[in-house]
Coordinates of all heavy atoms in Angstrom, one line a residue:
D24 N -4.4 -3.9 -31.4 CA -5.1 -2.7 -31.9 C -4.9 -1.5 -31.0 O -4.6 -1.6 -29.8 CB -6.5 -3.0 -32.2 CG -7.4 -3.2 -31.0 OD1 -7.5 -2.3 -30.2 OD2 -7.9 -4.3 -30.9
Y25 N -5.0 -0.3 -31.6 CA -4.7 0.9 -30.8 C -5.8 1.2 -29.8 O -5.5 1.7 -28.7 CB -4.6 2.1 -31.8 CG -3.4 1.9 -32.7 CD1 -3.6 1.8 -34.1 CD2 -2.1 1.9 -32.2 CE1 -2.5 1.6 -34.9 CE2 -1.0 1.7 -33.0 CZ -1.2 1.6 -34.4 OH -0.1 1.4 -35.2
K26 N -7.0 0.9 -30.1 CA -8.1 1.1 -29.1 C -7.9 0.2 -27.9 O -8.1 0.6 -26.8 CB -9.5 0.9 -29.7 CG -9.8 2.0 -30.8 CD -11.2 1.8 -31.3 CE -11.5 2.8 -32.4 NZ -12.8 2.7 -33.0
G27 N -7.5 -1.0 -28.1 CA -7.3 -1.9 -27.0 C -6.1 -1.5 -26.2 O -6.1 -1.6 -25.0
Q28 N -5.0 -1.0 -26.8 CA -3.9 -0.5 -26.1 C -4.3 0.7 -25.2 O -3.8 0.9 -24.1 CB -2.8 -0.1 -27.0 CG -2.1 -1.2 -27.7 CD -1.1 -0.8 -28.7 OE1 -0.8 0.4 -28.9 NE2 -0.5 -1.7 -29.4
K29 N -5.1 1.6 -25.8 CA -5.6 2.8 -25.0 C -6.4 2.3 -23.8 O -6.2 2.9 -22.7 CB -6.4 3.7 -25.9 CG -6.8 5.0 -25.3 CD -7.6 5.8 -26.2 CE -8.1 7.1 -25.5 NZ -8.8 8.0 -26.4
L30 N -7.3 1.4 -24.0 CA -8.1 0.9 -22.9 C -7.3 0.2 -21.8 O -7.5 0.5 -20.6 CB -9.1 -0.2 -23.5 CG -10.0 -0.9 -22.4 CD1 -10.9 0.2 -21.7 CD2 -10.8 -1.9 -23.1
A31 N -6.3 -0.6 -22.2 CA -5.4 -1.2 -21.3 C -4.6 -0.2 -20.5 O -4.5 -0.3 -19.2 CB -4.4 -2.2 -22.0
E32 N -4.2 0.9 -21.1 CA -3.4 1.9 -20.4 C -4.3 2.7 -19.5 O -3.9 3.0 -18.3 CB -2.8 2.9 -21.5 CG -2.1 4.1 -20.9 CD -0.7 3.6 -20.3 OE1 -0.2 2.5 -20.7 OE2 -0.2 4.4 -19.4
Q33 N -5.6 3.0 -19.8 CA -6.5 3.6 -19.0 C -6.8 2.8 -17.7 O -6.9 3.3 -16.6 CB -7.8 4.0 -19.7 CG -7.6 5.1 -20.7 CD -8.8 5.4 -21.5 OE1 -9.7 4.5 -21.6 NE2 -8.9 6.5 -22.2
I34 N -7.0 1.5 -17.9 CA -7.3 0.6 -16.8 C -6.1 0.5 -15.9 O -6.3 0.6 -14.7 CB -7.7 -0.8 -17.3 CG1 -9.1 -0.8 -18.0 CG2 -7.7 -1.8 -16.2 CD1 -9.4 -2.0 -18.7
F35 N -4.9 0.4 -16.5 CA -3.7 0.3 -15.7 C -3.5 1.6 -14.8 O -3.3 1.5 -13.6 CB -2.5 0.1 -16.6 CG -1.2 0.0 -15.9 CD1 -0.8 -1.3 -15.4 CD2 -0.3 1.0 -15.8 CE1 0.4 -1.4 -14.7 CE2 0.9 0.9 -15.1 CZ 1.3 -0.4 -14.6
Q36 N -3.6 2.7 -15.4 CA -3.4 4.0 -14.7 C -4.5 4.2 -13.6 O -4.3 4.7 -12.5 CB -3.4 5.2 -15.6 CG -2.1 5.2 -16.5 CD -2.1 6.4 -17.4 OE1 -3.0 7.2 -17.5 NE2 -1.0 6.5 -18.1
G37 N -5.8 3.8 -14.0 CA -6.9 4.0 -13.0 C -6.7 3.1 -11.8 O -6.9 3.6 -10.7
I38 N -6.3 1.9 -12.0 CA -6.1 1.0 -10.8 C -5.0 1.5 -10.0 O -5.0 1.5 -8.7 CB -5.9 -0.5 -11.3 CG1 -7.2 -1.0 -11.9 CG2 -5.5 -1.4 -10.1 CD1 -7.1 -2.4 -12.5
I39 N -3.9 1.9 -10.6 CA -2.7 2.4 -9.8 C -3.1 3.6 -9.0 O -2.8 3.8 -7.9 CB -1.5 2.7 -10.8 CG1 -1.0 1.4 -11.4 CG2 -0.4 3.4 -10.1 CD1 -0.4 0.5 -10.5
L40 N -3.8 4.5 -9.7 CA -4.2 5.8 -9.0 C -5.2 5.5 -7.8 O -5.0 6.0 -6.7 CB -4.9 6.7 -10.0 CG -5.4 8.0 -9.4 CD1 -4.2 8.9 -8.9 CD2 -6.2 8.8 -10.4
V41 N -6.2 4.6 -8.0 CA -7.1 4.3 -7.0 C -6.4 3.6 -5.8 O -6.6 3.9 -4.6 CB -8.3 3.5 -7.5 CG1 -9.1 2.9 -6.4 CG2 -9.2 4.3 -8.4
S42 N -5.5 2.6 -6.1 CA -4.8 1.9 -5.1 C -3.9 2.8 -4.3 O -3.7 2.7 -3.1 CB -4.1 0.7 -5.6 OG -3.0 1.1 -6.4
A43 N -3.3 3.8 -5.0 CA -2.4 4.8 -4.3 C -3.2 5.6 -3.4 O -2.7 5.9 -2.2 CB -1.7 5.6 -5.3
I44 N -4.3 6.1 -3.8 CA -5.2 6.9 -2.9 C -5.6 6.1 -1.7 O -5.5 6.6 -0.5 CB -6.4 7.5 -3.7 CG1 -5.8 8.5 -4.7 CG2 -7.4 8.2 -2.8 CD1 -6.9 9.0 -5.7
I45 N -6.1 4.9 -2.0 CA -6.6 4.1 -0.8 C -5.5 3.7 0.1 O -5.6 3.8 1.3 CB -7.3 2.8 -1.4 CG1 -8.6 3.2 -2.1 CG2 -7.6 1.8 -0.3 CD1 -9.2 2.0 -2.8
G46 N -4.3 3.4 -0.5 CA -3.2 3.0 0.3 C -2.7 4.2 1.2 O -2.3 4.0 2.3
F47 N -2.7 5.4 0.6 CA -2.3 6.6 1.3 C -3.2 6.9 2.5 O -2.8 7.1 3.6 CB -2.2 7.8 0.4 CG -1.8 9.1 1.1 CD1 -0.5 9.3 1.5 CD2 -2.7 10.0 1.5 CE1 -0.1 10.4 2.2 CE2 -2.4 11.2 2.1 CZ -1.1 11.4 2.5
I48 N -4.5 6.8 2.2 CA -5.5 7.1 3.3 C -5.4 6.0 4.4 O -5.4 6.4 5.6 CB -6.9 7.2 2.7 CG1 -7.0 8.4 1.8 CG2 -8.0 7.2 3.8 CD1 -8.3 8.5 1.0
Y49 N -5.3 4.8 4.0 CA -5.3 3.7 5.0 C -3.9 3.8 5.8 O -3.9 3.6 7.0 CB -5.4 2.3 4.4 CG -5.5 1.2 5.4 CD1 -6.7 1.0 6.1 CD2 -4.4 0.4 5.7 CE1 -6.8 0.0 7.0 CE2 -4.5 -0.6 6.6 CZ -5.7 -0.8 7.3 OH -5.8 -1.8 8.2
G50 N -2.9 4.1 5.1 CA -1.6 4.2 5.8 C -1.5 5.4 6.7 O -0.9 5.4 7.8
Y51 N -2.2 6.5 6.3 CA -2.3 7.7 7.2 C -3.1 7.4 8.4 O -2.7 7.8 9.5 CB -2.9 8.8 6.4 CG -2.9 10.1 7.1 CD1 -1.7 10.9 7.2 CD2 -4.0 10.6 7.7 CE1 -1.7 12.1 7.9 CE2 -4.1 11.8 8.4 CZ -2.9 12.6 8.5 OH -2.9 13.8 9.1
I52 N -4.2 6.7 8.2 CA -5.1 6.4 9.4 C -4.4 5.5 10.4 O -4.4 5.7 11.6 CB -6.4 5.8 8.9 CG1 -7.2 6.9 8.2 CG2 -7.2 5.2 10.1 CD1 -8.5 6.3 7.5
T53 N -3.7 4.4 9.9 CA -3.1 3.4 10.7 C -1.7 3.9 11.1 O -1.0 3.3 12.0 CB -2.9 2.1 10.1 OG1 -2.2 2.2 8.9 CG2 -4.3 1.5 9.8
E54 N -1.2 5.0 10.5 CA 0.2 5.5 10.8 C 1.3 4.5 10.5 O 2.3 4.4 11.2 CB 0.3 6.1 12.2 CG -0.7 7.2 12.5 CD -0.6 7.8 13.9 OE1 0.2 7.2 14.7 OE2 -1.4 8.7 14.2
Q55 N 1.1 3.7 9.5 CA 2.1 2.7 9.0 C 2.2 2.8 7.5 O 1.3 2.6 6.8 CB 1.7 1.3 9.4 CG 1.7 1.1 10.9 CD 1.4 -0.4 11.2 OE1 1.2 -1.2 10.4 NE2 1.6 -0.7 12.5
F56 N 3.4 3.3 7.1 CA 3.7 3.4 5.7 C 3.8 2.1 5.0 O 3.5 2.0 3.8 CB 5.1 4.2 5.6 CG 5.4 4.4 4.1 CD1 4.8 5.4 3.4 CD2 6.5 3.7 3.5 CE1 5.1 5.7 2.1 CE2 6.8 4.0 2.2 CZ 6.1 5.0 1.5
G57 N 4.1 1.0 5.7 CA 4.1 -0.3 5.1 C 2.8 -0.7 4.4 O 2.8 -1.3 3.4
W58 N 1.7 -0.4 5.1 CA 0.4 -0.7 4.5 C 0.2 0.1 3.2 O -0.4 -0.5 2.3 CB -0.7 -0.4 5.5 CG -0.9 -1.5 6.5 CD1 -0.5 -1.5 7.8 CD2 -1.4 -2.8 6.2 NE1 -0.8 -2.7 8.4 CE2 -1.4 -3.5 7.4 CE3 -2.0 -3.4 5.1 CZ2 -1.8 -4.8 7.5 CZ3 -2.4 -4.7 5.2 CH2 -2.3 -5.4 6.4
T59 N 0.7 1.3 3.1 CA 0.6 2.0 1.9 C 1.3 1.3 0.8 O 0.7 1.2 -0.3 CB 1.1 3.5 2.1 OG1 0.4 4.1 3.1 CG2 1.0 4.3 0.8
V60 N 2.5 0.9 1.0 CA 3.3 0.2 0.0 C 2.6 -1.1 -0.4 O 2.5 -1.5 -1.6 CB 4.7 -0.1 0.6 CG1 5.5 -1.0 -0.4 CG2 5.4 1.2 0.8
Y61 N 2.1 -1.9 0.6 CA 1.4 -3.2 0.3 C 0.2 -3.0 -0.6 O -0.1 -3.7 -1.5 CB 1.0 -3.9 1.6 CG 2.2 -4.4 2.4 CD1 2.1 -4.4 3.8 CD2 3.3 -4.8 1.8 CE1 3.2 -4.8 4.6 CE2 4.4 -5.3 2.6 CZ 4.3 -5.3 3.9 OH 5.4 -5.7 4.7
I62 N -0.6 -2.0 -0.3 CA -1.8 -1.7 -1.1 C -1.5 -1.3 -2.5 O -2.1 -1.7 -3.4 CB -2.7 -0.7 -0.3 CG1 -3.3 -1.3 1.0 CG2 -3.9 -0.2 -1.2 CD1 -4.0 -0.4 1.9
V63 N -0.5 -0.4 -2.6 CA -0.1 0.0 -4.0 C 0.5 -1.2 -4.7 O 0.2 -1.3 -5.9 CB 1.0 1.2 -3.9 CG1 1.6 1.5 -5.2 CG2 0.3 2.4 -3.3
M64 N 1.3 -2.0 -4.1 CA 1.8 -3.2 -4.8 C 0.7 -4.2 -5.2 O 0.7 -4.8 -6.3 CB 2.8 -3.9 -3.9 CG 4.1 -3.2 -3.8 SD 5.5 -4.0 -2.8 CE 4.9 -5.4 -2.2
A65 N -0.3 -4.3 -4.3 CA -1.5 -5.2 -4.7 C -2.2 -4.6 -5.9 O -2.6 -5.3 -6.8 CB -2.4 -5.3 -3.5
G66 N -2.4 -3.2 -5.9 CA -3.0 -2.6 -7.1 C -2.2 -2.8 -8.4 O -2.7 -3.0 -9.4
F67 N -0.8 -2.7 -8.2 CA 0.0 -3.0 -9.4 C -0.1 -4.4 -9.9 O -0.2 -4.6 -11.1 CB 1.5 -2.7 -9.0 CG 2.5 -3.0 -10.1 CD1 2.6 -2.1 -11.1 CD2 3.2 -4.1 -10.0 CE1 3.5 -2.4 -12.2 CE2 4.2 -4.4 -11.0 CZ 4.3 -3.5 -12.1
L68 N -0.1 -5.3 -9.0 CA -0.3 -6.7 -9.4 C -1.7 -7.0 -10.1 O -1.8 -7.7 -11.1 CB -0.1 -7.7 -8.2 CG 1.3 -7.8 -7.7 CD1 1.4 -8.6 -6.4 CD2 2.3 -8.3 -8.7
L69 N -2.7 -6.4 -9.5 CA -4.0 -6.5 -10.1 C -4.1 -5.9 -11.5 O -4.6 -6.5 -12.4 CB -5.1 -5.9 -9.2 CG -6.5 -5.9 -9.7 CD1 -7.0 -7.3 -9.8 CD2 -7.4 -5.0 -8.9
S70 N -3.5 -4.7 -11.6 CA -3.5 -4.1 -12.9 C -2.7 -4.8 -14.0 O -3.0 -4.9 -15.1 CB -3.0 -2.6 -12.8 OG -1.7 -2.6 -12.4
C71 N -1.6 -5.4 -13.5 CA -0.8 -6.3 -14.4 C -1.6 -7.5 -14.9 O -1.6 -7.9 -16.1 CB 0.5 -6.7 -13.8 SG 1.7 -5.4 -13.7
L72 N -2.3 -8.1 -14.0 CA -3.1 -9.3 -14.3 C -4.2 -8.9 -15.3 O -4.6 -9.7 -16.2 CB -3.8 -9.8 -13.0 CG -4.7 -11.0 -13.2 CD1 -3.9 -12.2 -13.6 CD2 -5.4 -11.3 -11.9
L73 N -4.8 -7.7 -15.2 CA -5.9 -7.3 -16.0 C -5.4 -6.7 -17.4 O -6.2 -6.7 -18.4 CB -6.7 -6.2 -15.4 CG -7.6 -6.7 -14.2 CD1 -8.3 -5.6 -13.5 CD2 -8.5 -7.8 -14.6
T74 N -4.2 -6.2 -17.5 CA -3.8 -5.6 -18.7 C -2.7 -6.2 -19.5 O -2.6 -6.0 -20.7 CB -3.3 -4.1 -18.4 OG1 -2.2 -4.2 -17.5 CG2 -4.4 -3.3 -17.8
L75 N -1.9 -7.1 -18.9 CA -0.8 -7.7 -19.7 C -1.2 -8.8 -20.6 O -0.7 -8.9 -21.7 CB 0.4 -8.1 -18.7 CG 1.1 -7.0 -18.1 CD1 2.2 -7.5 -17.2 CD2 1.7 -6.1 -19.2
P76 N -2.0 -9.8 -20.1 CA -2.4 -10.8 -21.0 C -3.3 -10.3 -22.2 O -4.0 -9.3 -22.0 CB -3.3 -11.8 -20.2 CG -2.9 -11.5 -18.8 CD -2.5 -10.0 -18.8
P77 N -3.3 -10.9 -23.3 CA -4.1 -10.4 -24.5 C -5.5 -10.9 -24.3 O -6.0 -11.7 -25.1 CB -3.4 -11.1 -25.7 CG -2.8 -12.3 -25.1 CD -2.4 -12.0 -23.7
W78 N -6.3 -10.3 -23.4 CA -7.7 -10.6 -23.2 C -8.5 -10.2 -24.5 O -8.1 -9.2 -25.2 CB -8.2 -9.8 -22.0 CG -7.5 -10.2 -20.7 CD1 -6.7 -9.4 -20.0 CD2 -7.7 -11.4 -20.0 NE1 -6.3 -10.1 -18.9 CE2 -6.9 -11.3 -18.8 CE3 -8.4 -12.6 -20.2 CZ2 -6.7 -12.3 -17.9 CZ3 -8.2 -13.6 -19.2 CH2 -7.4 -13.4 -18.1
P79 N -9.6 -10.9 -24.7 CA -10.4 -10.5 -25.9 C -10.9 -9.1 -25.9 O -11.1 -8.6 -27.0 CB -11.6 -11.6 -25.9 CG -11.0 -12.7 -25.0 CD -10.1 -12.1 -24.1
M80 N -11.1 -8.5 -24.8 CA -11.6 -7.1 -24.8 C -10.6 -6.1 -25.4 O -11.0 -5.0 -25.7 CB -12.0 -6.7 -23.4 CG -10.9 -6.6 -22.4 SD -11.6 -6.2 -20.8 CE -10.1 -6.2 -19.8
Y81 N -9.4 -6.5 -25.4 CA -8.4 -5.6 -26.0 C -8.1 -5.9 -27.5 O -7.4 -5.2 -28.1 CB -7.0 -5.8 -25.3 CG -7.1 -5.5 -23.8 CD1 -6.6 -6.4 -22.9 CD2 -7.7 -4.4 -23.3 CE1 -6.7 -6.2 -21.5 CE2 -7.7 -4.1 -22.0 CZ -7.2 -5.0 -21.1 OH -7.3 -4.8 -19.8
R82 N -8.8 -6.9 -28.0 CA -8.6 -7.3 -29.4 C -9.8 -7.2 -30.3 O -10.0 -8.0 -31.2 CB -8.0 -8.7 -29.5 CG -6.7 -8.9 -28.8 CD -6.1 -10.3 -29.0 NE -6.9 -11.2 -28.2 CZ -7.0 -12.5 -28.4 NH1 -6.4 -13.0 -29.4 NH2 -7.7 -13.3 -27.6
R83 N -10.7 -6.2 -30.0 CA -11.9 -6.1 -30.7 C -11.8 -5.4 -32.0 O -12.6 -5.5 -32.9 CB -12.9 -5.3 -29.8 CG -13.4 -6.1 -28.7 CD -14.4 -5.4 -27.9 NE -14.9 -6.2 -26.7 CZ -15.5 -5.7 -25.7 NH1 -15.8 -4.4 -25.6 NH2 -15.8 -6.4 -24.7
N84 N -10.7 -4.6 -32.2 CA -10.5 -3.8 -33.4 C -9.2 -4.1 -34.0 O -8.2 -3.3 -34.0 CB -10.6 -2.3 -33.1 CG -11.9 -1.9 -32.4 OD1 -13.0 -2.2 -33.0 ND2 -11.8 -1.3 -31.2
P85 N -9.0 -5.3 -34.7 CA -7.7 -5.6 -35.2 C -7.3 -4.7 -36.4 O -8.2 -4.2 -37.1 CB -7.9 -7.1 -35.7 CG -9.4 -7.2 -36.0 CD -10.1 -6.3 -35.0
L86 N -6.0 -4.6 -36.6 CA -5.5 -3.8 -37.7 C -5.6 -4.5 -39.0 O -5.4 -5.8 -39.0 CB -4.0 -3.4 -37.4 CG -3.8 -2.5 -36.2 CD1 -2.3 -2.4 -36.0 CD2 -4.5 -1.2 -36.3
Q87 N -5.8 -3.8 -40.1 CA -5.9 -4.5 -41.4 C -4.5 -4.4 -42.0 O -4.0 -3.3 -42.3 CB -6.9 -3.7 -42.3 CG -8.3 -3.8 -41.8 CD -8.8 -5.2 -41.7 OE1 -8.5 -6.1 -42.5 NE2 -9.6 -5.5 -40.6
W88 N -3.8 -5.5 -42.2 CA -2.5 -5.5 -42.7 C -2.5 -5.6 -44.2 O -3.5 -6.1 -44.8 CB -1.7 -6.7 -42.1 CG -1.5 -6.6 -40.7 CD1 -2.3 -7.1 -39.7 CD2 -0.4 -5.9 -40.0 NE1 -1.8 -6.8 -38.5 CE2 -0.6 -6.0 -38.6 CE3 0.7 -5.2 -40.4 CZ2 0.2 -5.5 -37.7 CZ3 1.6 -4.7 -39.5 CH2 1.3 -4.8 -38.1
L89 N -1.4 -5.2 -44.9 CA -1.3 -5.4 -46.3 C -1.2 -6.8 -46.7 O -0.6 -7.6 -45.9 CB -0.1 -4.6 -46.8 CG -0.2 -3.1 -46.7 CD1 1.1 -2.4 -47.2 CD2 -1.4 -2.5 -47.5
P90 N -1.7 -7.2 -47.8 CA -1.5 -8.7 -48.2 C 0.0 -9.0 -48.5 O 0.8 -8.1 -48.8 CB -2.3 -8.8 -49.5 CG -2.5 -7.4 -50.0 CD -2.4 -6.5 -48.8
V91 N 0.3 -10.2 -48.3 CA 1.7 -10.7 -48.5 C 2.0 -10.7 -50.0 O 1.3 -11.1 -50.8 CB 1.9 -12.1 -47.9 CG1 3.3 -12.6 -48.2 CG2 1.6 -12.1 -46.5
Q92 N 3.2 -10.1 -50.3 CA 3.6 -10.1 -51.7 C 4.6 -11.3 -51.9 O 5.3 -11.6 -51.1 CB 4.4 -8.8 -52.0 CG 3.5 -7.6 -51.9 CD 4.2 -6.3 -52.2 OE1 5.4 -6.3 -52.4 NE2 3.5 -5.2 -52.3
E93 N 4.6 -11.8 -53.1 CA 5.5 -12.9 -53.5 C 6.9 -12.3 -53.6 O 7.1 -11.2 -54.0 CB 5.0 -13.5 -54.8 CG 3.6 -14.2 -54.6 CD 3.2 -14.9 -55.9 OE1 4.1 -15.2 -56.7 OE2 2.0 -15.1 -56.1
S94 N 7.9 -13.2 -53.4 CA 9.3 -12.8 -53.5 C 9.7 -12.5 -54.9 O 10.6 -11.7 -55.1 CB 10.2 -13.8 -52.9 OG 10.1 -15.0 -53.6
G95 N 9.1 -13.0 -55.9 CA 9.4 -12.8 -57.3 C 9.1 -11.3 -57.7 O 9.8 -10.8 -58.5
A96 N 8.1 -10.7 -57.0 CA 7.8 -9.3 -57.3 C 8.9 -8.4 -56.9 O 9.3 -7.4 -57.6 CB 6.5 -8.9 -56.7
E97 N 9.6 -8.7 -55.8 CA 10.7 -7.9 -55.3 C 11.9 -8.0 -56.3 O 12.6 -7.0 -56.6 CB 11.1 -8.3 -53.9 CG 10.1 -8.0 -52.9 CD 10.5 -8.5 -51.5 OE1 11.6 -8.8 -51.3 OE2 9.6 -8.5 -50.6
E98 N 12.2 -9.2 -56.8 CA 13.3 -9.4 -57.7 C 13.1 -8.7 -59.0 O 14.0 -8.1 -59.5 CB 13.5 -10.9 -57.9 CG 14.0 -11.6 -56.7 CD 14.0 -13.1 -56.9 OE1 13.9 -13.6 -58.1 OE2 14.2 -13.9 -55.9
K99 N 11.8 -8.7 -59.4 CA 11.5 -8.0 -60.7 C 11.7 -6.5 -60.6 O 12.2 -5.8 -61.4 CB 10.1 -8.3 -61.1 CG 9.7 -7.7 -62.4 CD 8.3 -8.1 -62.8 CE 7.9 -7.5 -64.1 NZ 6.5 -7.8 -64.5
K100 N 11.3 -5.9 -59.4 CA 11.4 -4.5 -59.2 C 12.9 -4.1 -59.2 O 13.3 -3.1 -59.7 CB 10.7 -4.1 -57.9 CG 9.2 -4.1 -58.0 CD 8.7 -3.7 -56.7 CE 7.1 -3.8 -56.7 NZ 6.6 -3.4 -55.4
S101 N 13.7 -4.9 -58.5 CA 15.2 -4.5 -58.4 C 15.8 -4.7 -59.8 O 16.8 -4.0 -60.1 CB 15.8 -5.4 -57.3 OG 15.8 -6.7 -57.7
A102 N 15.4 -5.6 -60.6 CA 16.0 -5.8 -61.9 C 15.6 -4.7 -62.9 O 16.3 -4.3 -63.8 CB 15.6 -7.1 -62.5
D103 N 14.4 -4.0 -62.7 CA 14.0 -3.0 -63.5 C 14.7 -1.7 -63.3 O 14.7 -0.8 -64.1 CB 12.5 -2.7 -63.4 CG 11.7 -3.9 -63.9 OD1 12.2 -4.7 -64.7 OD2 10.5 -4.0 -63.5
R104 N 15.3 -1.5 -62.1 CA 16.0 -0.3 -61.8 C 17.3 -0.1 -62.6 O 18.0 -1.1 -62.8 CB 16.3 -0.2 -60.3 CG 15.1 -0.2 -59.5 CD 15.4 0.0 -58.0 NE 14.3 -0.2 -57.2 CZ 14.3 -0.5 -55.9 NH1 15.4 -0.8 -55.3 NH2 13.2 -0.6 -55.2
K105 N 17.6 1.1 -62.9 CA 18.9 1.3 -63.6 C 20.0 1.5 -62.6 O 19.8 2.1 -61.5 CB 18.8 2.6 -64.4 CG 17.8 2.5 -65.6 CD 17.8 3.8 -66.3 CE 16.8 3.8 -67.5 NZ 16.8 5.0 -68.2
P106 N 21.2 0.9 -62.8 CA 22.3 1.1 -61.9 C 22.7 2.5 -61.8 O 22.7 3.3 -62.7 CB 23.4 0.2 -62.4 CG 23.0 0.0 -63.9 CD 21.5 0.2 -64.0
K107 N 23.0 3.0 -60.5 CA 23.4 4.3 -60.3 C 24.9 4.5 -60.7 O 25.7 3.6 -60.5 CB 23.3 4.7 -58.9 CG 21.8 4.7 -58.4 CD 21.7 5.2 -57.0 CE 20.3 5.2 -56.5 NZ 20.1 5.6 -55.1
R108 N 25.2 5.6 -61.3 CA 26.5 5.9 -61.7 C 27.2 6.8 -60.6 O 26.6 7.8 -60.2 CB 26.6 6.6 -63.0 CG 26.1 5.8 -64.2 CD 26.4 6.5 -65.5 NE 25.9 5.6 -66.6 CZ 26.2 5.9 -67.8 NH1 26.9 6.9 -68.1 NH2 25.7 5.1 -68.7
H109 N 28.3 6.4 -60.2 CA 29.0 7.1 -59.1 C 30.0 8.1 -59.8 O 30.5 7.9 -60.9 CB 29.8 6.1 -58.2 CG 28.9 5.2 -57.5 ND1 28.1 5.6 -56.5 CD2 28.6 3.9 -57.6 CE1 27.4 4.6 -56.0 NE2 27.7 3.5 -56.7
A110 N 30.2 9.2 -59.1 CA 31.1 10.2 -59.6 C 32.5 9.6 -59.6 O 32.9 8.9 -58.7 CB 31.1 11.4 -58.7
K111 N 33.3 9.9 -60.7 CA 34.6 9.4 -60.8 C 35.6 10.2 -59.9 O 35.4 11.5 -59.9 CB 35.1 9.4 -62.2 CG 34.3 8.5 -63.1 CD 34.8 8.5 -64.5 CE 34.0 7.6 -65.4 NZ 34.4 7.6 -66.8
S112 N 36.5 9.6 -59.3 CA 37.4 10.3 -58.4 C 38.7 10.7 -59.2 O 39.2 10.1 -60.0 CB 37.9 9.4 -57.2 OG 36.7 9.0 -56.6

């Protein structure tokens, strides 16, 4: 559903943003860029774990699909149409 997709996107972006800020600050304090990368990668993995599986919180508003039509209805519609006449060359 669209609301679930929006929620997953907001969670994903929020975790990435927070982990990037924390990683930058910690990396700046320790003067090691590697820690920044590790913290951002950990945030990415956490956000993937929370947003990629189809958790029930993302499926609260299912879409209403059209009912299935029988195949005989399609054949009847195509038989009712008049054949198109092509321009003569």
Side-chain angles (χ1 to χ4, degrees):
D24 65 64
Y25 296 116
K26 291 181 182 180
Q28 289 177 3
K29 183 179 179 181
L30 176 63
E32 181 70 21
Q33 288 173 342
I34 291 172
F35 183 81
Q36 288 180 358
I38 292 173
I39 294 294
L40 180 64
V41 169
S42 68
I44 291 170
I45 292 171
F47 177 77
I48 292 171
Y49 188 76
Y51 185 78
I52 291 171
T53 61
E54 297 179 1
Q55 291 188 354
F56 183 71
W58 279 106
T59 301
V60 174
Y61 293 144
I62 293 172
V63 171
M64 286 182 1
F67 176 75
L68 291 174
L69 177 65
S70 64
C71 285
L72 179 67
L73 291 176
T74 59
L75 290 180
W78 298 109
M80 66 182 176
Y81 302 129
R82 297 184 290 155
R83 290 183 181 162
N84 303 303
L86 297 175
Q87 299 297 324
W88 295 91
L89 293 175
V91 177
Q92 296 180 354
E93 295 182 22
S94 61
E97 292 177 12
E98 293 173 8
K99 184 179 178 183
K100 288 180 183 178
S101 63
D103 291 342
R104 295 183 188 157
K105 294 181 181 178
K107 295 182 180 180
R108 295 187 180 190
H109 298 288
K111 294 181 181 179
S112 305

